[in-house]
Each structure stands twice: as C-alpha cells, then as structure tokens.
C-alpha cells in the first residue's frame, strides 16, 4: 500500500517516528514530495529556531531511508484538480502521480472523500491507519510503539505514559485498543 504523508502528520515527532517505523518494517510504502517536506520544515519554526534545521536534517535522513518515497507532482495533473484549499492540490497531485492508494492527513475537510474517490485514492486519518496496521500486524506495530515509547522516555529523562504519548499525537482509538490488547 502506497500512502502519501501530508505535512501535518510529519510535524509531531512521535507520530512521524511511528509512521516511519511502520514503513521501515514494510507495513506500507510512504510517499512525499519536496514541497510536503518543506511545508513540514516551515511548520516547525514555532518550536524554535533550531527546529527548522532539525526538520530539514530529518528530511535528509528520510530521503536516504526511503529513496522511493520522494515523488513529483505532474503539473498537468495539479492544473485539473479542485480542492477546498488550493494549497493542498500538490498533495493530491503527488498521490495521483505516484499511484498512491491513500493520503494520510488530519485535514479531512481539505480532502473531500468524493474528490479523492474519483481519482481512486482514499483519505485516511492517522488514528485509523495505525489501528488498522496494528490489527493486521500486532507484533510489528507493537515493536515500533515500544521503540518510540523508549525514545520518548529517553528524551524526557523520565517515565512517560504510553497512553498519554499516543493521545498527544491524536491516536486516541489506537491508544485505547492497544492498551486493551495488553501489548
């Protein structure tokens, strides 16, 4: 399954680590464009001056780890598309150009399902997407979550509630199911 990662799902580092960890385990194939990565880098500026440089460095690591992920939107495709926010046209164009199955985003209103369906693309929210991958691959996703949780605790220098960590990145349904699963 090829999935375009919208800039909004790259911004919370915990969510990005979960998504990239699952991709590294072959649970799906990530797709992005230079413009998506640049939007993400610009969005983190509110975290401080160093955050943008860190995001760009992380983007370089992502390019190396997932060389097939970088895609370009074909201008002729973007020109024929209509979305509520024209700034998101490139995301849909990248999805079409790359043959993606879905766009992973928190911005449901910017990607109407009927518009995406006409292009053979699905809109997915991160919570449902992570939950679905976990329900199909519990050991693989569980290992990713354990690693991300350990990293969060290492960075914080103290214990961090896994449930709170997952909820902070809007993985509420998954946090509930994952906790109930006893994994």
């Amino acid at each position: 399954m090829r999935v375009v990662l919208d800039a909004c799902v790259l911004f919370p580092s915990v969510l990005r680590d979960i998504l990239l960890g699952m991709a590294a385990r072959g649970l799906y194939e990530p797709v992005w464009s230079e413009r998506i990565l640049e939007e993400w880098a610009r969005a983190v500026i509110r975290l401080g001056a160093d955050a943008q440089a860190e995001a760009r460095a992380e983007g370089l690591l992502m390019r190396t780890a997932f060389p097939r992920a970088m895609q370009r939107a074909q201008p002729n495709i973007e020109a024929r598309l209509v979305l509520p926010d024209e700034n998101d046209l490139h995301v849909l164009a990248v999805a079409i150009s790359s043959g993606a199955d879905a766009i992973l985003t928190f911005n449901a209103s910017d990607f109407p399902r009927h518009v995406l369906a006409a292009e053979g693309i699905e809109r997915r929210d991160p919570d449902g997407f992570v939950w679905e991958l976990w329900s199909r691959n519990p050991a693989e996703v569980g290992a990713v979550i354990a690693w991300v949780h350990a990293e969060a605790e290492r960075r914080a220098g103290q214990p961090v509630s896994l449930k709170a960590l997952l909820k902070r990145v809007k993985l509420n349904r998954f946090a509930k199911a994952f906790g109930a699963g006893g994994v």
Side-chain angles (χ1 to χ4, degrees):
M1 171 179 12
R2 298 191 87 201
V3 179
V4 173
L5 303 181
D6 194 7
C8 63
V9 302
L10 296 174
F11 183 45
S13 61
V14 169
L15 181 57
R16 182 178 63 253
D17 289 347
I18 290 169
L19 294 172
L20 296 180
M22 293 188 313
R25 290 179 174 264
L27 301 181
Y28 77 99
E29 186 178 346
V31 175
W32 50 69
S33 68
E34 194 64 48
R35 185 169 170 186
I36 289 170
L37 295 182
E38 182 57 28
E39 283 181 17
W40 161 48
R42 283 194 317 264
V44 301
I45 194 69
R46 65 180 180 227
L47 297 177
D50 293 338
Q52 198 168 46
E54 289 174 19
R56 289 202 168 93
E58 178 77 17
L60 290 173
L61 293 173
M62 290 165 55
R63 287 176 183 89
T64 302
F66 302 98
R68 291 175 28 114
M70 185 64 73
Q71 299 290 319
R72 299 186 78 203
Q74 297 172 3
N76 59 327
I77 292 176
E78 192 170 335
R80 71 172 174 77
L81 298 173
V82 176
L83 287 174
D85 183 349
E86 67 181 38
N87 290 321
D88 288 318
L89 292 173
H90 73 283
V91 177
L92 179 53
V94 165
I96 295 165
S97 298
S98 68
D101 301 293
I103 295 172
L104 192 64
T105 186
F106 286 114
N107 300 326
S109 62
D110 292 342
F111 296 97
R113 288 194 192 278
H114 70 281
V115 173
L116 273 59
E119 300 293 344
I121 297 169
E122 189 179 6
R123 181 188 74 231
R124 300 297 309 269
D125 71 279
D127 194 20
F129 181 70
V130 171
W131 182 89
E132 179 184 326
L133 291 179
W134 171 69
S135 68
R136 293 181 183 167
N137 308 281
E140 294 290 325
V141 173
V144 170
I145 298 300
W147 178 82
V148 169
H149 185 217
E151 276 297 297
E153 290 186 329
R154 184 188 65 75
R155 289 178 188 150
Q158 62 185 10
V160 173
S161 162
L162 177 58
K163 186 175 183 178
L165 184 70
L166 295 173
K167 287 188 170 203
R168 191 168 59 233
V169 295
K170 301 179 184 175
L171 297 180
N172 300 322
R173 179 178 164 201
F174 172 71
K176 185 176 180 180
F178 190 76
V183 179

